[in-house]
Structure formats: structure tokens, C-alpha cells
Amino acid sequence: MNIYVGNLPFNLGEEDLKEIFEEYGAVGETKIISDKFSGRSKGFGFVEMESDEEANNAIKELNNAEVSGRNIKVNESKPRETGGSRGGGERRGGGGGGYQRRERY
């Protein structure tokens, strides 16, 4: 099961995250998402656990738990929806700007 973990302390590393979840079972992989320009943590990540039962127990026990002064959010990660459009069908907004001639009085 893939688990989403949010509100992480910015100084928490992937090994630290793995250690937290290993108390509840076998952890496959941990990934903390970082900003591609600065390399700084975005404060959330993912943990993959091999057993759904252990993962559900970890979610139950760790959701809202305090880690380095922050209450983390833990829940099952849902896969991103792919394809389709991102909203309304027709194009909206835009326009305006550009050079506009003004008459002098």
C-alpha cells in the first residue's frame, strides 16, 4: 500500500521517515518530495508498505501524531487521475492588454 504523509518537518529525511513507519511493519520505499529548484522539502512524502494490514495500522496510529513539533497527516495515497481536461471545456478569461491608441483633447 502506498501512504501519503503530509505536514512533515522540513528537516526530516527519507531514512527518518522510514524509521518511523518501520515500527509498524516492513517498509518498501520512502520518498520525500522536494522543490526541483531549491532542493528543499515540500513537507510531504510517500511511504510504501508491503502489508495492507500493517499499513492501515500505521495510518491509524500515526495520523495526527507529533513529529518534531508538527502533527503529521497520514492516509492512503490515491493514484492520480490521468487524462481528461482540467476544468471547463471552453477557454475563459484572457484578452486585454496590448497597445491602445488614445485620442488627445
Side-chain angles (χ1 to χ4, degrees), residues 2-97:
N2 202 18
I3 301 169
Y4 166 83
V5 188
N7 202 34
L8 291 172
F10 294 110
N11 62 350
L12 191 79
E14 290 180 359
E15 278 301 313
D16 301 319
L17 186 59
K18 185 175 184 175
E19 286 178 21
I20 292 169
F21 278 82
E22 280 180 330
E23 291 183 34
Y24 300 93
V27 174
E29 184 180 353
T30 58
K31 178 73 177 159
I32 293 180
I33 307 304
S34 54
D35 181 81
K36 66 181 175 182
F37 298 111
S38 70
R40 184 174 182 236
S41 167
K42 288 189 171 189
F44 70 95
F46 299 92
V47 175
E48 189 176 293
M49 294 189 74
E50 296 173 16
S51 161
D52 285 354
E53 184 179 329
E54 292 172 345
N56 284 321
N57 188 41
I59 290 169
K60 183 178 135 192
E61 294 296 322
L62 292 172
N63 188 39
N64 216 27
E66 187 178 317
V67 175
S68 298
R70 299 187 76 156
N71 288 27
I72 63 173
K73 305 299 175 210
V74 183
N75 52 52
E76 184 178 350
S77 175
K78 301 292 182 193
R80 267 191 185 181
E81 291 185 22
T82 56
S85 67
R86 295 182 63 158
E90 69 183 66
R91 189 172 181 172
R92 298 186 180 160

